[in-house]
Amino acid sequence: MEKERIILGIDPGTQVMGYGVLRVVNNKPEMLAMGILQLSKYDDHYLKLRRIFERIIGLIDEFLPDELAIEAPFFGKNVQSMLKLGRAQGVAMAAALSRDIPIFEYAPLKIKMSITGNGRAAKEQVAYMLQNFLKIPDENMLPQMDATDGLAAAVCHFFQTNNPSQEVKFTSWKDYINKNPGKVKK
C-alpha cells in the first residue's frame, strides 16, 4: 500500500511570495509545482494580503496538501518590513487554518541547513541542491529564488518528519539520571 502526502511550502513576502508543492510517496519526494506570486505591482498593503490569502487557498484547492511548511520571519533591522512580513506569513497561515491544514514553521537558517548543510548558504546554493535532490530539469527551474525558497520549506519539512530525531522524554531529574547513567557523576 502506497502512502502519499502532499506538502505545501511557502516563502512569505510582501513583494514576492514563493511556493513549492512536494508529493511524497513511500518516502520518495517529487516536486509537483513551484512558483511565485508577484505582489510588487500592488500599492495597497491590504490588497497584497488579500492576494496572498487567495493564492494560498487556490493552491490548497488545487493540490490538497496535508501539511503547510512556512518560513518564519527573521529579525531584521527594519521593523516596518518585519511587521509586514509577519502579516504576510499570518495571512498564509490563516488560509491553511481555514482548511484545517496543520502548519509547521521553520527558521530560514534551519531550512538552509537542512537543504545544503550550511545555514548561511546563498539562495543559489539552495536552488542548486534542490534541483539535484529532486531531479528537476533545467527548464522547470525558475529564475526567481523565492520559488525555490518556498520549495525548500517543503523539503525541509520532509526531512524533519522523515528523519525525526529520537527525542527522549523525561518525567523528572531522577528519570533523567536513570536513563543517562554515563552523564552523571556520583
Side-chain angles (χ1 to χ4, degrees):
M1 181 172 137
E2 288 189 355
K3 185 179 179 202
E4 177 182 298
R5 70 182 172 138
I6 306 290
I7 304 167
L8 172 59
I10 299 292
D11 175 31
T14 55
Q15 298 301 312
V16 180
M17 180 194 82
Y19 65 88
V21 183
L22 196 67
R23 176 175 37 207
V24 181
V25 179
N26 292 329
N27 287 332
K28 293 185 182 120
E30 72 169 312
M31 182 191 76
L32 291 181
M34 170 173 56
I36 62 161
L37 174 60
Q38 188 62 251
L39 298 159
S40 58
K41 58 187 171 191
Y42 304 110
D43 291 331
D44 185 320
H45 180 66
Y46 300 105
L47 181 57
K48 290 178 182 186
L49 296 176
R50 179 180 176 174
R51 295 288 183 245
I52 291 168
F53 187 87
E54 291 169 346
R55 185 63 182 128
I56 299 293
I57 290 293
L59 290 167
I60 290 169
D61 290 347
E62 182 178 354
F63 294 103
L64 305 172
D66 299 292
E67 300 153 321
L68 174 83
I70 191 164
E71 186 175 301
F74 55 90
F75 297 100
K77 292 178 184 174
N78 187 330
V79 175
Q80 285 300 316
S81 293
M82 200 172 90
L83 286 171
K84 287 179 180 177
L85 185 60
R87 287 177 180 168
Q89 183 199 35
V91 167
M93 293 166 95
L97 290 170
S98 76
R99 300 297 169 93
D100 295 319
I101 297 172
I103 299 165
F104 300 87
E105 193 174 0
Y106 297 99
L109 291 175
K110 177 79 170 178
I111 293 172
K112 289 178 178 181
M113 178 65 88
S114 74
I115 304 299
T116 68
N118 176 4
R120 303 273 182 213
K123 288 177 175 279
E124 292 80 8
Q125 289 173 292
V126 172
Y128 176 79
M129 294 299 287
L130 287 171
Q131 184 176 11
N132 285 319
F133 175 67
L134 296 171
K135 297 174 180 47
I136 303 170
D138 286 340
E139 60 271 13
N140 291 0
M141 292 298 290
L142 300 175
Q144 300 91 349
M145 297 293 157
D146 303 276
T148 48
D149 285 351
L151 185 60
V155 172
C156 173
H157 181 64
F158 163 73
F159 287 149
Q160 297 305 307
T161 55
N162 281 356
N163 299 314
S165 60
Q166 297 299 324
E167 191 174 315
V168 180
K169 304 283 186 210
F170 304 106
T171 57
S172 66
W173 279 109
K174 185 176 181 181
D175 185 39
Y176 175 84
I177 292 167
N178 289 336
K179 291 179 180 173
N180 293 282
K183 292 185 178 182
V184 180
K185 291 182 183 179
K186 295 181 182 183

